[in-house]
Amino acid sequence: MAISHEFSYEKPASLGSALALLTRYQGQAKILAGATDLAVQLKEGTVTPQCLIDIKGLSELDTLAFQEGQLVIGANVTFQALVHSDLVRRELPMLGESALTVASIGVRNRATIAGNICSAVPSLDSAPVLLVYDAVVVVTSERGTREVPITDWFKAPRRTALAADELVVEIRIPVPAVRHRGVYVKLGRYRGEDLAQAGVGVMVTEQNEYKVAFNAVGPVPLRSAKLEALLRGRTLDDALLKQARAEVPSEISPITDIRASREYRIHMCQVMLERALRAATGLLAGKSIDVEHLV
Amino acid sequence: MKKITYVINGEARHLHVEPNDVLLDVLRDKLGLKSPKCGCDRGDCGACAVLLDGKSVRSCLILAIECDGMAIETVEGIGQDGLSALQEKFIALNSFQCGFCAPGVTISATELLRNNPRPTLDDVKEALSGNLCRCTGYTPIIEAVLQAGNEGGEHGKL
Ligand code: FES
Ligand code: FES
């Protein structure tokens, strides 16, 4: 299917000119990076920009580095780059493992994690890892640069804290100084393409700090303060896991749709929370666990 | 209209495209390369896969204008100096039935074998997980890729 809507195409050579274009078009321009989501929206006519601004020529957005205790991921970094990065494997294995659950290689070779959080669909696979590690989104415009905590980023399905004249420069993930392990469990119908029907991300530190996040079970991905408070400082055992499971239904608000029913999603979130917590603590204790096949 | 250049299957081609032209349509309709197929037109099936600067991508999700100056390889290019070891295996094992998915599968498997000449079963399944085939049940496709890896490998014509 062709794209019937017409627009102009710009590939700025500097960040400054990209920002000037965003200002000039006053919300009528769209940023083009991997385009794996944008192209579908253009074909369907759900977005109708006057201009597309291709940022793939901006090398300052290519950063993938560890700086001052933070993993810095530039706006042009693809999911496949995260999958293959030794740095990611060493510092934040959950990030590479989450990236591997995104669609398939042909999509991951183009799709960026920054683009994923800008699309902000409720099922986005990159949300749990960013939420449990308290990532920060660095955005900039001609008005200046600001940092948005990921917990303030998602406003509604397909709506974020990004203003029309702003561009995501990078995502910064603080890597805890203490030993830690995160695990993302995704429920899908088949490997390779499917959107998450439900997803759970957890992070556990050696001091028994726990972080818990869910995706695809509410209008936006979310952290669960209640579950984190319940688990805090305690050692995981069967009784605690039972209590944690019991809290799940009141923490999430899934809908029934073509991919799964509300009841199934709640049930599976309980199962996946338990498995994710067991896997994360097991990995922290040095066990070898196949995190790709927890469901 | 903007004038752009691709290196397609080793040959430089100049063409004019509109910003809203999709790469898949340009390859098929302007350049006559019919191996990439339009299955779902929304990134789900892998039938439109091509190699863009050596990486497999979905040409239905890419604007033609984005690829200015880049190298594009399609199945026409992979087979232009005779069939690759992988293609020989596909034929020997009767891997396809209707064949609609074959170009996309060939692209994905070629990318895999170039980066990882001795893939495991899991590697092959992961590499092909975005290519839907409604005929074969995948077994003869996966087997061919494994055999091409074991026998063709680095020395084959991948
Ligand atoms: S036609 Fe492009 S992925 Fe299906
Ligand atoms: S052989 Fe028919 S779709 Fe694969």
Side-chain angles (χ1 to χ4, degrees):
Chain A
M1 183 173 43
I3 298 170
S4 50
H5 173 71
E6 288 182 9
F7 45 79
S8 61
Y9 169 88
E10 302 278 355
K11 190 168 184 180
S14 73
L15 189 58
S17 34
L19 299 181
L21 283 164
L22 279 169
T23 305
R24 167 139 59 90
Y25 278 95
Q26 297 182 2
Q28 298 305 312
K30 276 272 177 194
I31 297 293
L32 174 68
T36 51
D37 184 52
L38 181 61
V40 176
Q41 290 187 286
L42 288 168
K43 287 180 178 186
E44 290 175 346
T46 47
V47 297
T48 51
Q50 286 172 13
C51 176
L52 291 188
I53 306 170
D54 187 345
I55 56 170
K56 289 191 287 294
L58 304 177
S59 57
E60 55 267 66
L61 306 183
D62 293 345
T63 316
L64 178 54
F66 190 61
Q67 295 166 358
E68 294 159 14
Q70 297 188 320
L71 199 60
V72 182
I73 309 162
N76 279 332
V77 174
T78 63
F79 280 112
Q80 197 62 2
L82 296 176
V83 169
H84 282 307
S85 161
D86 290 331
L87 177 68
V88 170
R89 223 185 322 276
R90 192 172 66 238
E91 297 297 337
L92 210 72
M94 182 185 179
L95 180 64
E97 291 157 9
S98 301
L100 190 59
T101 72
V102 176
S104 56
I105 295 173
V107 171
R108 291 198 301 264
N109 274 336
R110 296 289 284 179
T112 63
I113 184 168
N116 199 222
I117 65 164
C118 289
S119 295
V121 293
S123 61
L124 80 164
D125 290 308
S126 55
V129 62
L130 299 178
L131 283 165
V132 297
Y133 281 98
D134 284 307
V136 168
V137 189
V138 181
V139 301
T140 191
S141 71
E142 289 197 313
R143 295 175 291 130
T145 298
R146 62 188 183 112
E147 300 191 353
V148 184
I150 193 76
T151 40
D152 295 339
W153 180 258
F154 302 105
K155 299 297 187 195
R158 292 211 172 272
R159 217 157 53 76
T160 69
L162 190 73
D165 63 343
E166 283 178 327
L167 175 81
V168 173
V169 177
E170 62 202 18
I171 299 169
R172 296 179 160 265
I173 310 178
V175 178
V178 296
R179 287 184 58 242
H180 61 95
R181 189 58 159 90
V183 169
Y184 173 51
V185 189
K186 169 179 178 172
L187 181 67
R189 289 171 304 184
Y190 66 100
R191 185 76 186 258
E193 211 54 73
D194 216 12
L195 301 176
Q197 293 169 316
V200 179
V202 304
M203 195 271 279
V204 184
T205 71
E206 60 183 346
Q207 279 122 359
N208 287 337
E209 268 303 304
Y210 298 84
K211 302 280 159 61
V212 179
F214 296 95
N215 59 325
V217 288
V220 295
L222 55 107
R223 276 267 294 272
S224 169
K226 217 165 156 193
L227 277 163
E228 291 175 9
L230 170 74
L231 297 165
R232 184 164 300 129
R234 298 171 69 179
T235 308
L236 211 60
D237 58 22
D238 290 350
L240 184 58
L241 281 166
K242 197 171 166 203
Q243 287 180 43
R245 288 176 65 130
E247 293 291 349
V248 169
S250 62
E251 285 296 273
I252 58 178
S253 50
I255 54 166
T256 293
D257 66 9
I258 190 168
R259 289 182 295 117
S261 70
R262 171 185 159 79
E263 292 72 21
Y264 180 57
R265 286 187 157 114
I266 292 175
H267 175 74
M268 286 309 291
C269 277
Q270 294 174 310
V271 172
M272 294 192 296
L273 174 66
E274 174 167 345
R275 290 185 190 174
L277 286 168
R278 283 190 196 275
T281 44
L283 286 163
L284 209 50
K287 290 194 191 127
S288 105
I289 290 168
D290 177 8
V291 290
E292 270 184 57
H293 298 99
L294 289 175
V295 285
Chain B
M1 284 272 175
K2 187 181 173 224
K3 190 173 175 216
I4 61 169
T5 306
Y6 295 152
V7 177
I8 298 204
N9 296 326
E11 190 190 329
R13 300 280 294 263
H14 306 283
L15 60 159
H16 288 88
V17 296
E18 296 285 358
N20 63 353
D21 282 340
V22 176
L23 180 62
L24 174 61
D25 302 332
V26 167
L27 292 174
R28 289 183 57 86
D29 302 339
K30 285 203 177 166
L31 296 167
L33 294 161
K34 301 289 189 183
S35 74
K37 303 279 182 272
C38 184
C40 65
D41 206 22
R42 49 176 299 124
D44 290 336
C45 75
C48 65
V50 300
L51 294 169
L52 183 62
D53 279 352
K55 291 180 178 167
S56 70
V57 296
R58 269 116 213 263
S59 62
C60 70
L61 295 183
I62 296 184
L63 300 174
I65 203 167
E66 285 180 77
C67 309
D68 188 13
M70 299 180 83
I72 297 169
E73 195 174 355
T74 64
V75 170
E76 285 86 345
I78 289 172
Q80 69 192 352
D81 301 319
L83 296 178
S84 71
L86 171 68
Q87 289 174 310
E88 303 270 18
K89 279 291 169 203
F90 282 147
I91 294 169
L93 297 189
N94 244 325
S95 293
F96 300 103
Q97 291 176 29
C98 79
F100 192 82
C101 68
V105 169
T106 304
I107 292 292
S108 300
T110 298
E111 179 189 36
L112 169 71
L113 290 167
R114 283 178 182 169
N115 295 329
N116 176 7
R118 299 271 183 273
T120 63
L121 176 61
D122 278 348
D123 294 338
V124 175
K125 284 187 173 172
E126 176 60 34
L128 299 184
S129 66
N131 293 90
L132 301 188
C133 171
R134 34 170 220 176
C135 305
T136 64
Y138 303 99
T139 313
I141 297 176
I142 291 169
E143 183 57 31
V145 182
L146 280 172
Q147 286 192 18
N150 283 327
E151 296 164 25
E154 294 128 312
H155 311 296
K157 299 183 289 173
L158 295 166

